[in-house]
Amino acid sequence: MISLNDMPRVRINFLPTPLVELKRLSSFLGGPRIFIKRDDLTGVALGGNKTRKLEFLLGEAISQKCDSVIACGGMQSNLCRQTAGAAAVAGLKCHLALGGTQPPFADSNLLLDYLLGATIHWSGEYSKGERLPELAAELRASGLKPYVITYGGSTAVGALGFVAAISELKEQLQAENLDLDYLFLPSSSGGTHAGMTIGMDINNLSTKVVGISIDRSEPGEPPYESELAELANQTAAKLEFDRRYTPADFAMNYDYFGEGYEVVSDAIREAVYLTARQEGILLDPIYTGRTMAGLIDMIRKKVFTSSNTVLLWHTGGIPAIFRFARDLNA
Ligand SMILES: *Cc1c(COP(=O)(O)O)cnc(C)c1O
């Protein structure tokens, strides 16, 4: 197997991120021991899970002597904001292909994209990278050498960030003499989930990794689990880790999709308020708030015993708190 230390990487994060026990929330809910992994504190431009992927993505960009990066997403993409921040740290130019058209006034992630020096290319209905090859060709014609980051940064290279993150978690668990029964994460483009699953296997941990669906009401066609398996196989191959993944290796829970992506339900609002008031920790209403709402519901339905240990991976998304101010007002 190839060591992660031999992969090109730029160290832009403040690691390890804190592993914190939520004692007050746990006693309030009368539930299992609850831990949180604070990737909202990775350190680059308000933090989040994407900067772990970006350590390896930008590492590859630099090893290929690229001078710029291109990323894509919706107008309020967390990946794009974190790419703009990471590119600034690494000294690369950042181009973003964002869905929609230029609004009269930039706020939240879009404001930060501008502030961090990214060049925005408005892409209308194309927010998932449909126009990336075209944009890359334009930039090449203008003399740049761009590195292209595909949707969500969920490639085999990006997922390495979360293989590494599980080794980091294992060290923290060992130092605290802890075993984790479950790890819950918001799962959307798959790089985080696939990387973590491989990380558990490489580190011989038996923690069950469960993805909470953020933007799908069901697996879809092809099923999301088979996309996860394919990405995990590509990532394992990159590391020459001898293990084949199948869709059955990935646990996804679609029960908390509710009224849909970016719809802030009462349960999500309650999860955001409870975590803020019991623990002083801010969750975003789109990803981590939905995941915590799911965890709280499972605790109330007695899915866990009181001696179970569960972890919520805080993947960031903080700027959405301000964008959804209207929905979060009590
Ligand atoms: C992108 C994102 C996720 C989902 O990660 P994937 O690797 O795309 O599945 C979760 N939470 C936040 C805050 C994100 O920005």
mmCIF file of all heavy atoms in Angstrom, residues 203-250:
data_model
loop_
_atom_site.group_PDB
_atom_site.id
_atom_site.type_symbol
_atom_site.label_atom_id
_atom_site.label_comp_id
_atom_site.label_asym_id
_atom_site.label_seq_id
_atom_site.Cartn_x
_atom_site.Cartn_y
_atom_site.Cartn_z
ATOM 1 N N ASN A 203 -7.524 1.662 9.044
ATOM 2 C CA ASN A 203 -7.166 1.788 10.453
ATOM 3 C C ASN A 203 -7.781 0.701 11.344
ATOM 4 O O ASN A 203 -7.693 0.784 12.567
ATOM 5 C CB ASN A 203 -7.584 3.176 10.970
ATOM 6 C CG ASN A 203 -6.674 4.272 10.457
ATOM 7 O OD1 ASN A 203 -5.503 4.327 10.816
ATOM 8 N ND2 ASN A 203 -7.198 5.127 9.593
ATOM 9 N N ASN A 204 -8.409 -0.300 10.713
ATOM 10 C CA ASN A 204 -9.042 -1.388 11.475
ATOM 11 C C ASN A 204 -9.998 -0.903 12.549
ATOM 12 O O ASN A 204 -10.003 -1.405 13.669
ATOM 13 C CB ASN A 204 -7.971 -2.277 12.142
ATOM 14 C CG ASN A 204 -7.165 -3.005 11.101
ATOM 15 O OD1 ASN A 204 -7.733 -3.615 10.188
ATOM 16 N ND2 ASN A 204 -5.847 -2.913 11.196
ATOM 17 N N LEU A 205 -10.800 0.093 12.211
ATOM 18 C CA LEU A 205 -11.822 0.560 13.145
ATOM 19 C C LEU A 205 -13.159 -0.043 12.735
ATOM 20 O O LEU A 205 -13.434 -0.199 11.544
ATOM 21 C CB LEU A 205 -11.921 2.097 13.109
ATOM 22 C CG LEU A 205 -10.710 2.872 13.645
ATOM 23 C CD1 LEU A 205 -10.884 4.368 13.391
ATOM 24 C CD2 LEU A 205 -10.513 2.604 15.132
ATOM 25 N N SER A 206 -14.000 -0.370 13.721
ATOM 26 C CA SER A 206 -15.271 -1.011 13.384
ATOM 27 C C SER A 206 -16.456 -0.051 13.486
ATOM 28 O O SER A 206 -17.609 -0.460 13.400
ATOM 29 C CB SER A 206 -15.492 -2.215 14.300
ATOM 30 O OG SER A 206 -15.453 -1.772 15.636
ATOM 31 N N THR A 207 -16.185 1.245 13.661
ATOM 32 C CA THR A 207 -17.246 2.264 13.726
ATOM 33 C C THR A 207 -18.126 2.187 12.480
ATOM 34 O O THR A 207 -17.613 2.112 11.362
ATOM 35 C CB THR A 207 -16.612 3.672 13.795
ATOM 36 O OG1 THR A 207 -15.701 3.708 14.880
ATOM 37 C CG2 THR A 207 -17.670 4.743 13.933
ATOM 38 N N LYS A 208 -19.445 2.209 12.702
ATOM 39 C CA LYS A 208 -20.354 2.206 11.545
ATOM 40 C C LYS A 208 -20.526 3.638 11.038
ATOM 41 O O LYS A 208 -20.960 4.521 11.775
ATOM 42 C CB LYS A 208 -21.703 1.613 11.964
ATOM 43 C CG LYS A 208 -22.635 1.356 10.791
ATOM 44 C CD LYS A 208 -23.844 0.532 11.250
ATOM 45 C CE LYS A 208 -24.908 0.415 10.170
ATOM 46 N NZ LYS A 208 -24.469 -0.177 8.912
ATOM 47 N N VAL A 209 -20.179 3.867 9.771
ATOM 48 C CA VAL A 209 -20.286 5.193 9.161
ATOM 49 C C VAL A 209 -21.657 5.296 8.485
ATOM 50 O O VAL A 209 -22.006 4.455 7.658
ATOM 51 C CB VAL A 209 -19.175 5.397 8.108
ATOM 52 C CG1 VAL A 209 -19.330 6.749 7.405
ATOM 53 C CG2 VAL A 209 -17.796 5.297 8.768
ATOM 54 N N VAL A 210 -22.448 6.302 8.869
ATOM 55 C CA VAL A 210 -23.796 6.456 8.310
ATOM 56 C C VAL A 210 -23.939 7.838 7.677
ATOM 57 O O VAL A 210 -23.758 8.864 8.352
ATOM 58 C CB VAL A 210 -24.892 6.278 9.393
ATOM 59 C CG1 VAL A 210 -26.287 6.391 8.779
ATOM 60 C CG2 VAL A 210 -24.729 4.946 10.118
ATOM 61 N N GLY A 211 -24.274 7.874 6.401
ATOM 62 C CA GLY A 211 -24.509 9.133 5.709
ATOM 63 C C GLY A 211 -25.956 9.547 5.849
ATOM 64 O O GLY A 211 -26.866 8.734 5.697
ATOM 65 N N ILE A 212 -26.173 10.821 6.164
ATOM 66 C CA ILE A 212 -27.530 11.382 6.147
ATOM 67 C C ILE A 212 -27.680 12.099 4.809
ATOM 68 O O ILE A 212 -26.854 12.942 4.441
ATOM 69 C CB ILE A 212 -27.726 12.381 7.318
ATOM 70 C CG1 ILE A 212 -27.505 11.696 8.676
ATOM 71 C CG2 ILE A 212 -29.099 13.052 7.233
ATOM 72 C CD1 ILE A 212 -28.530 10.647 9.050
ATOM 73 N N SER A 213 -28.734 11.745 4.078
ATOM 74 C CA SER A 213 -28.921 12.335 2.759
ATOM 75 C C SER A 213 -29.356 13.796 2.872
ATOM 76 O O SER A 213 -30.262 14.131 3.634
ATOM 77 C CB SER A 213 -29.969 11.543 1.973
ATOM 78 O OG SER A 213 -30.132 12.147 0.705
ATOM 79 N N ILE A 214 -28.698 14.646 2.109
ATOM 80 C CA ILE A 214 -28.961 16.091 2.144
ATOM 81 C C ILE A 214 -29.812 16.531 0.956
ATOM 82 O O ILE A 214 -30.683 17.378 1.086
ATOM 83 C CB ILE A 214 -27.612 16.853 2.107
ATOM 84 C CG1 ILE A 214 -26.768 16.493 3.335
ATOM 85 C CG2 ILE A 214 -27.823 18.364 2.002
ATOM 86 C CD1 ILE A 214 -27.424 16.763 4.672
ATOM 87 N N ASP A 215 -29.549 15.937 -0.215
ATOM 88 C CA ASP A 215 -30.213 16.426 -1.422
ATOM 89 C C ASP A 215 -30.854 15.317 -2.256
ATOM 90 O O ASP A 215 -31.095 15.508 -3.444
ATOM 91 C CB ASP A 215 -29.232 17.261 -2.259
ATOM 92 C CG ASP A 215 -27.889 16.577 -2.443
ATOM 93 O OD1 ASP A 215 -27.794 15.370 -2.145
ATOM 94 O OD2 ASP A 215 -26.929 17.239 -2.879
ATOM 95 N N ARG A 216 -31.108 14.168 -1.635
ATOM 96 C CA ARG A 216 -31.809 13.079 -2.332
ATOM 97 C C ARG A 216 -32.875 12.511 -1.404
ATOM 98 O O ARG A 216 -32.603 12.296 -0.228
ATOM 99 C CB ARG A 216 -30.871 11.904 -2.648
ATOM 100 C CG ARG A 216 -29.815 12.163 -3.685
ATOM 101 C CD ARG A 216 -28.874 10.944 -3.783
ATOM 102 N NE ARG A 216 -27.792 11.216 -4.708
ATOM 103 C CZ ARG A 216 -26.705 11.923 -4.405
ATOM 104 N NH1 ARG A 216 -26.546 12.397 -3.188
ATOM 105 N NH2 ARG A 216 -25.781 12.131 -5.317
ATOM 106 N N SER A 217 -34.065 12.212 -1.972
ATOM 107 C CA SER A 217 -35.107 11.600 -1.152
ATOM 108 C C SER A 217 -34.999 10.077 -1.190
ATOM 109 O O SER A 217 -35.650 9.377 -0.417
ATOM 110 C CB SER A 217 -36.478 12.032 -1.656
ATOM 111 O OG SER A 217 -36.626 11.636 -3.007
ATOM 112 N N GLU A 218 -34.176 9.552 -2.100
ATOM 113 C CA GLU A 218 -34.013 8.098 -2.265
ATOM 114 C C GLU A 218 -32.714 7.870 -3.023
ATOM 115 O O GLU A 218 -32.122 8.825 -3.554
ATOM 116 C CB GLU A 218 -35.204 7.534 -3.047
ATOM 117 C CG GLU A 218 -35.421 8.291 -4.351
ATOM 118 C CD GLU A 218 -36.579 7.737 -5.172
ATOM 119 O OE1 GLU A 218 -37.534 7.201 -4.582
ATOM 120 O OE2 GLU A 218 -36.487 7.842 -6.403
ATOM 121 N N PRO A 219 -32.253 6.606 -3.097
ATOM 122 C CA PRO A 219 -30.941 6.357 -3.716
ATOM 123 C C PRO A 219 -30.830 6.867 -5.153
ATOM 124 O O PRO A 219 -29.766 7.323 -5.570
ATOM 125 C CB PRO A 219 -30.809 4.832 -3.662
ATOM 126 C CG PRO A 219 -31.682 4.427 -2.516
ATOM 127 C CD PRO A 219 -32.821 5.404 -2.489
ATOM 128 N N GLY A 220 -31.918 6.806 -5.917
ATOM 129 C CA GLY A 220 -31.879 7.286 -7.305
ATOM 130 C C GLY A 220 -31.343 6.238 -8.253
ATOM 131 O O GLY A 220 -31.130 5.074 -7.883
ATOM 132 N N GLU A 221 -31.116 6.655 -9.491
ATOM 133 C CA GLU A 221 -30.675 5.723 -10.535
ATOM 134 C C GLU A 221 -29.570 6.363 -11.375
ATOM 135 O O GLU A 221 -29.827 7.375 -12.024
ATOM 136 C CB GLU A 221 -31.883 5.355 -11.408
ATOM 137 C CG GLU A 221 -31.728 4.104 -12.213
ATOM 138 C CD GLU A 221 -31.135 2.935 -11.443
ATOM 139 O OE1 GLU A 221 -31.720 2.493 -10.431
ATOM 140 O OE2 GLU A 221 -30.052 2.487 -11.861
ATOM 141 N N PRO A 222 -28.318 5.908 -11.386
ATOM 142 C CA PRO A 222 -27.863 4.760 -10.581
ATOM 143 C C PRO A 222 -27.883 5.109 -9.098
ATOM 144 O O PRO A 222 -27.757 6.292 -8.747
ATOM 145 C CB PRO A 222 -26.413 4.567 -11.060
ATOM 146 C CG PRO A 222 -25.981 5.917 -11.535
ATOM 147 C CD PRO A 222 -27.213 6.555 -12.109
ATOM 148 N N PRO A 223 -28.033 4.111 -8.226
ATOM 149 C CA PRO A 223 -28.132 4.399 -6.795
ATOM 150 C C PRO A 223 -26.880 5.126 -6.290
ATOM 151 O O PRO A 223 -25.768 4.835 -6.726
ATOM 152 C CB PRO A 223 -28.228 3.010 -6.145
ATOM 153 C CG PRO A 223 -28.601 2.085 -7.239
ATOM 154 C CD PRO A 223 -28.066 2.679 -8.510
ATOM 155 N N TYR A 224 -27.100 6.084 -5.388
ATOM 156 C CA TYR A 224 -25.985 6.844 -4.798
ATOM 157 C C TYR A 224 -24.947 5.891 -4.194
ATOM 158 O O TYR A 224 -23.741 6.125 -4.306
ATOM 159 C CB TYR A 224 -26.556 7.795 -3.744
ATOM 160 C CG TYR A 224 -25.525 8.653 -3.042
ATOM 161 C CD1 TYR A 224 -24.624 9.432 -3.771
ATOM 162 C CD2 TYR A 224 -25.461 8.695 -1.648
ATOM 163 C CE1 TYR A 224 -23.682 10.236 -3.125
ATOM 164 C CE2 TYR A 224 -24.525 9.494 -0.997
ATOM 165 C CZ TYR A 224 -23.635 10.249 -1.739
ATOM 166 O OH TYR A 224 -22.704 11.033 -1.093
ATOM 167 N N GLU A 225 -25.416 4.783 -3.581
ATOM 168 C CA GLU A 225 -24.483 3.840 -2.961
ATOM 169 C C GLU A 225 -23.525 3.238 -3.989
ATOM 170 O O GLU A 225 -22.390 2.900 -3.660
ATOM 171 C CB GLU A 225 -25.246 2.717 -2.242
ATOM 172 C CG GLU A 225 -25.980 3.157 -0.980
ATOM 173 C CD GLU A 225 -27.320 3.828 -1.248
ATOM 174 O OE1 GLU A 225 -27.638 4.139 -2.423
ATOM 175 O OE2 GLU A 225 -28.051 4.067 -0.268
ATOM 176 N N SER A 226 -23.976 3.086 -5.244
ATOM 177 C CA SER A 226 -23.031 2.544 -6.229
ATOM 178 C C SER A 226 -22.042 3.618 -6.679
ATOM 179 O O SER A 226 -20.892 3.313 -6.979
ATOM 180 C CB SER A 226 -23.747 1.863 -7.410
ATOM 181 O OG SER A 226 -24.637 2.749 -8.002
ATOM 182 N N GLU A 227 -22.464 4.893 -6.657
ATOM 183 C CA GLU A 227 -21.489 5.972 -6.905
ATOM 184 C C GLU A 227 -20.434 5.994 -5.799
ATOM 185 O O GLU A 227 -19.242 6.184 -6.068
ATOM 186 C CB GLU A 227 -22.184 7.343 -6.923
ATOM 187 C CG GLU A 227 -23.049 7.599 -8.139
ATOM 188 C CD GLU A 227 -23.774 8.947 -8.028
ATOM 189 O OE1 GLU A 227 -23.201 9.911 -7.463
ATOM 190 O OE2 GLU A 227 -24.928 9.028 -8.477
ATOM 191 N N LEU A 228 -20.892 5.792 -4.549
ATOM 192 C CA LEU A 228 -19.951 5.780 -3.423
ATOM 193 C C LEU A 228 -18.956 4.631 -3.574
ATOM 194 O O LEU A 228 -17.752 4.785 -3.353
ATOM 195 C CB LEU A 228 -20.710 5.650 -2.092
ATOM 196 C CG LEU A 228 -21.460 6.899 -1.627
ATOM 197 C CD1 LEU A 228 -22.419 6.568 -0.475
ATOM 198 C CD2 LEU A 228 -20.484 7.989 -1.178
ATOM 199 N N ALA A 229 -19.468 3.456 -3.975
ATOM 200 C CA ALA A 229 -18.599 2.276 -4.124
ATOM 201 C C ALA A 229 -17.570 2.519 -5.235
ATOM 202 O O ALA A 229 -16.387 2.198 -5.083
ATOM 203 C CB ALA A 229 -19.443 1.035 -4.414
ATOM 204 N N GLU A 230 -18.031 3.112 -6.330
ATOM 205 C CA GLU A 230 -17.110 3.361 -7.440
ATOM 206 C C GLU A 230 -16.003 4.346 -7.031
ATOM 207 O O GLU A 230 -14.815 4.122 -7.303
ATOM 208 C CB GLU A 230 -17.916 3.924 -8.615
ATOM 209 C CG GLU A 230 -17.178 3.892 -9.931
ATOM 210 C CD GLU A 230 -18.038 4.487 -11.050
ATOM 211 O OE1 GLU A 230 -19.254 4.156 -11.109
ATOM 212 O OE2 GLU A 230 -17.499 5.283 -11.828
ATOM 213 N N LEU A 231 -16.413 5.407 -6.349
ATOM 214 C CA LEU A 231 -15.427 6.394 -5.897
ATOM 215 C C LEU A 231 -14.458 5.766 -4.891
ATOM 216 O O LEU A 231 -13.245 5.999 -4.936
ATOM 217 C CB LEU A 231 -16.154 7.600 -5.283
ATOM 218 C CG LEU A 231 -15.285 8.728 -4.728
ATOM 219 C CD1 LEU A 231 -14.311 9.264 -5.777
ATOM 220 C CD2 LEU A 231 -16.174 9.856 -4.197
ATOM 221 N N ALA A 232 -14.997 4.928 -3.987
ATOM 222 C CA ALA A 232 -14.131 4.259 -2.999
ATOM 223 C C ALA A 232 -13.146 3.332 -3.707
ATOM 224 O O ALA A 232 -11.969 3.264 -3.337
ATOM 225 C CB ALA A 232 -14.972 3.491 -1.990
ATOM 226 N N ASN A 233 -13.596 2.625 -4.740
ATOM 227 C CA ASN A 233 -12.683 1.729 -5.457
ATOM 228 C C ASN A 233 -11.577 2.513 -6.163
ATOM 229 O O ASN A 233 -10.418 2.095 -6.178
ATOM 230 C CB ASN A 233 -13.451 0.859 -6.453
ATOM 231 C CG ASN A 233 -14.193 -0.260 -5.728
ATOM 232 O OD1 ASN A 233 -13.705 -0.778 -4.716
ATOM 233 N ND2 ASN A 233 -15.369 -0.625 -6.220
ATOM 234 N N GLN A 234 -11.933 3.662 -6.728
ATOM 235 C CA GLN A 234 -10.901 4.488 -7.380
ATOM 236 C C GLN A 234 -9.900 5.014 -6.349
ATOM 237 O O GLN A 234 -8.697 5.069 -6.612
ATOM 238 C CB GLN A 234 -11.557 5.685 -8.098
ATOM 239 C CG GLN A 234 -12.347 5.278 -9.333
ATOM 240 C CD GLN A 234 -13.295 6.390 -9.802
ATOM 241 O OE1 GLN A 234 -13.374 7.456 -9.191
ATOM 242 N NE2 GLN A 234 -14.013 6.135 -10.880
ATOM 243 N N THR A 235 -10.417 5.374 -5.186
ATOM 244 C CA THR A 235 -9.548 5.916 -4.133
ATOM 245 C C THR A 235 -8.640 4.820 -3.579
ATOM 246 O O THR A 235 -7.439 5.026 -3.386
ATOM 247 C CB THR A 235 -10.409 6.539 -3.011
ATOM 248 O OG1 THR A 235 -11.360 7.422 -3.600
ATOM 249 C CG2 THR A 235 -9.558 7.303 -2.014
ATOM 250 N N ALA A 236 -9.222 3.636 -3.344
ATOM 251 C CA ALA A 236 -8.422 2.499 -2.849
ATOM 252 C C ALA A 236 -7.333 2.153 -3.862
ATOM 253 O O ALA A 236 -6.186 1.878 -3.500
ATOM 254 C CB ALA A 236 -9.328 1.296 -2.578
ATOM 255 N N ALA A 237 -7.680 2.200 -5.154
ATOM 256 C CA ALA A 237 -6.696 1.881 -6.206
ATOM 257 C C ALA A 237 -5.540 2.872 -6.173
ATOM 258 O O ALA A 237 -4.376 2.507 -6.319
ATOM 259 C CB ALA A 237 -7.374 1.882 -7.573
ATOM 260 N N LYS A 238 -5.864 4.136 -5.952
ATOM 261 C CA LYS A 238 -4.824 5.163 -5.881
ATOM 262 C C LYS A 238 -3.811 4.854 -4.786
ATOM 263 O O LYS A 238 -2.628 5.133 -4.905
ATOM 264 C CB LYS A 238 -5.502 6.515 -5.606
ATOM 265 C CG LYS A 238 -4.685 7.653 -6.085
ATOM 266 C CD LYS A 238 -5.507 8.857 -6.442
ATOM 267 C CE LYS A 238 -4.989 9.670 -7.561
ATOM 268 N NZ LYS A 238 -4.331 9.238 -8.680
ATOM 269 N N LEU A 239 -4.319 4.283 -3.685
ATOM 270 C CA LEU A 239 -3.459 3.951 -2.540
ATOM 271 C C LEU A 239 -2.903 2.524 -2.642
ATOM 272 O O LEU A 239 -2.216 2.072 -1.725
ATOM 273 C CB LEU A 239 -4.263 4.089 -1.241
ATOM 274 C CG LEU A 239 -4.593 5.516 -0.800
ATOM 275 C CD1 LEU A 239 -5.622 5.502 0.339
ATOM 276 C CD2 LEU A 239 -3.327 6.240 -0.354
ATOM 277 N N GLU A 240 -3.265 1.826 -3.718
ATOM 278 C CA GLU A 240 -2.924 0.390 -3.850
ATOM 279 C C GLU A 240 -3.357 -0.364 -2.594
ATOM 280 O O GLU A 240 -2.666 -1.263 -2.117
ATOM 281 C CB GLU A 240 -1.424 0.219 -4.154
ATOM 282 C CG GLU A 240 -1.055 0.861 -5.493
ATOM 283 C CD GLU A 240 0.432 0.755 -5.847
ATOM 284 O OE1 GLU A 240 1.174 0.037 -5.137
ATOM 285 O OE2 GLU A 240 0.837 1.393 -6.841
ATOM 286 N N PHE A 241 -4.512 0.017 -2.072
ATOM 287 C CA PHE A 241 -5.116 -0.679 -0.919
ATOM 288 C C PHE A 241 -6.001 -1.776 -1.493
ATOM 289 O O PHE A 241 -6.925 -1.505 -2.253
ATOM 290 C CB PHE A 241 -5.925 0.324 -0.082
ATOM 291 C CG PHE A 241 -6.677 -0.266 1.087
ATOM 292 C CD1 PHE A 241 -6.039 -1.089 2.007
ATOM 293 C CD2 PHE A 241 -8.025 0.031 1.268
ATOM 294 C CE1 PHE A 241 -6.739 -1.615 3.095
ATOM 295 C CE2 PHE A 241 -8.724 -0.480 2.353
ATOM 296 C CZ PHE A 241 -8.078 -1.308 3.265
ATOM 297 N N ASP A 242 -5.707 -2.997 -1.112
ATOM 298 C CA ASP A 242 -6.292 -4.154 -1.774
ATOM 299 C C ASP A 242 -7.665 -4.498 -1.207
ATOM 300 O O ASP A 242 -7.809 -5.404 -0.399
ATOM 301 C CB ASP A 242 -5.330 -5.331 -1.597
ATOM 302 C CG ASP A 242 -5.738 -6.495 -2.483
ATOM 303 O OD1 ASP A 242 -6.545 -6.278 -3.407
ATOM 304 O OD2 ASP A 242 -5.255 -7.611 -2.230
ATOM 305 N N ARG A 243 -8.665 -3.728 -1.618
ATOM 306 C CA ARG A 243 -10.006 -4.003 -1.108
ATOM 307 C C ARG A 243 -11.000 -3.488 -2.142
ATOM 308 O O ARG A 243 -10.825 -2.392 -2.685
ATOM 309 C CB ARG A 243 -10.123 -3.310 0.257
ATOM 310 C CG ARG A 243 -11.480 -2.974 0.762
ATOM 311 C CD ARG A 243 -11.959 -3.796 1.921
ATOM 312 N NE ARG A 243 -13.374 -4.020 1.696
ATOM 313 C CZ ARG A 243 -14.312 -3.872 2.611
ATOM 314 N NH1 ARG A 243 -13.994 -3.595 3.834
ATOM 315 N NH2 ARG A 243 -15.573 -4.043 2.302
ATOM 316 N N ARG A 244 -12.013 -4.323 -2.459
ATOM 317 C CA ARG A 244 -13.052 -3.907 -3.408
ATOM 318 C C ARG A 244 -14.305 -3.539 -2.638
ATOM 319 O O ARG A 244 -14.707 -4.261 -1.731
ATOM 320 C CB ARG A 244 -13.388 -5.054 -4.390
ATOM 321 C CG ARG A 244 -12.287 -5.387 -5.358
ATOM 322 C CD ARG A 244 -12.059 -4.314 -6.414
ATOM 323 N NE ARG A 244 -13.239 -4.067 -7.263
ATOM 324 C CZ ARG A 244 -13.359 -3.047 -8.104
ATOM 325 N NH1 ARG A 244 -12.371 -2.155 -8.205
ATOM 326 N NH2 ARG A 244 -14.434 -2.909 -8.845
ATOM 327 N N TYR A 245 -14.915 -2.431 -2.992
ATOM 328 C CA TYR A 245 -16.139 -1.984 -2.324
ATOM 329 C C TYR A 245 -17.363 -2.263 -3.198
ATOM 330 O O TYR A 245 -17.290 -2.208 -4.426
ATOM 331 C CB TYR A 245 -16.038 -0.490 -1.992
ATOM 332 C CG TYR A 245 -15.052 -0.247 -0.881
ATOM 333 C CD1 TYR A 245 -13.709 -0.002 -1.170
ATOM 334 C CD2 TYR A 245 -15.437 -0.339 0.448
ATOM 335 C CE1 TYR A 245 -12.783 0.172 -0.148
ATOM 336 C CE2 TYR A 245 -14.521 -0.166 1.473
ATOM 337 C CZ TYR A 245 -13.195 0.093 1.165
ATOM 338 O OH TYR A 245 -12.283 0.250 2.181
ATOM 339 N N THR A 246 -18.476 -2.544 -2.529
ATOM 340 C CA THR A 246 -19.759 -2.717 -3.226
ATOM 341 C C THR A 246 -20.760 -1.751 -2.576
ATOM 342 O O THR A 246 -20.498 -1.241 -1.470
ATOM 343 C CB THR A 246 -20.304 -4.155 -3.078
ATOM 344 O OG1 THR A 246 -20.667 -4.350 -1.703
ATOM 345 C CG2 THR A 246 -19.259 -5.198 -3.490
ATOM 346 N N PRO A 247 -21.898 -1.501 -3.227
ATOM 347 C CA PRO A 247 -22.876 -0.573 -2.635
ATOM 348 C C PRO A 247 -23.269 -0.964 -1.204
ATOM 349 O O PRO A 247 -23.540 -0.083 -0.369
ATOM 350 C CB PRO A 247 -24.071 -0.674 -3.594
ATOM 351 C CG PRO A 247 -23.444 -1.012 -4.919
ATOM 352 C CD PRO A 247 -22.278 -1.916 -4.592
ATOM 353 N N ALA A 248 -23.249 -2.260 -0.898
ATOM 354 C CA ALA A 248 -23.656 -2.705 0.443
ATOM 355 C C ALA A 248 -22.689 -2.247 1.536
ATOM 356 O O ALA A 248 -23.019 -2.308 2.727
ATOM 357 C CB ALA A 248 -23.775 -4.233 0.465
ATOM 358 N N ASP A 249 -21.511 -1.769 1.147
ATOM 359 C CA ASP A 249 -20.552 -1.275 2.144
ATOM 360 C C ASP A 249 -20.892 0.133 2.639
ATOM 361 O O ASP A 249 -20.199 0.661 3.509
ATOM 362 C CB ASP A 249 -19.133 -1.245 1.548
ATOM 363 C CG ASP A 249 -18.606 -2.642 1.272
ATOM 364 O OD1 ASP A 249 -18.783 -3.504 2.160
ATOM 365 O OD2 ASP A 249 -18.055 -2.874 0.180
ATOM 366 N N PHE A 250 -21.939 0.751 2.077
ATOM 367 C CA PHE A 250 -22.253 2.149 2.414
ATOM 368 C C PHE A 250 -23.647 2.271 3.002
ATOM 369 O O PHE A 250 -24.629 1.892 2.357
ATOM 370 C CB PHE A 250 -22.104 3.041 1.176
ATOM 371 C CG PHE A 250 -20.687 3.023 0.676
ATOM 372 C CD1 PHE A 250 -20.279 2.080 -0.248
ATOM 373 C CD2 PHE A 250 -19.750 3.889 1.211
ATOM 374 C CE1 PHE A 250 -18.960 2.008 -0.659
ATOM 375 C CE2 PHE A 250 -18.428 3.819 0.815
ATOM 376 C CZ PHE A 250 -18.026 2.882 -0.123
#
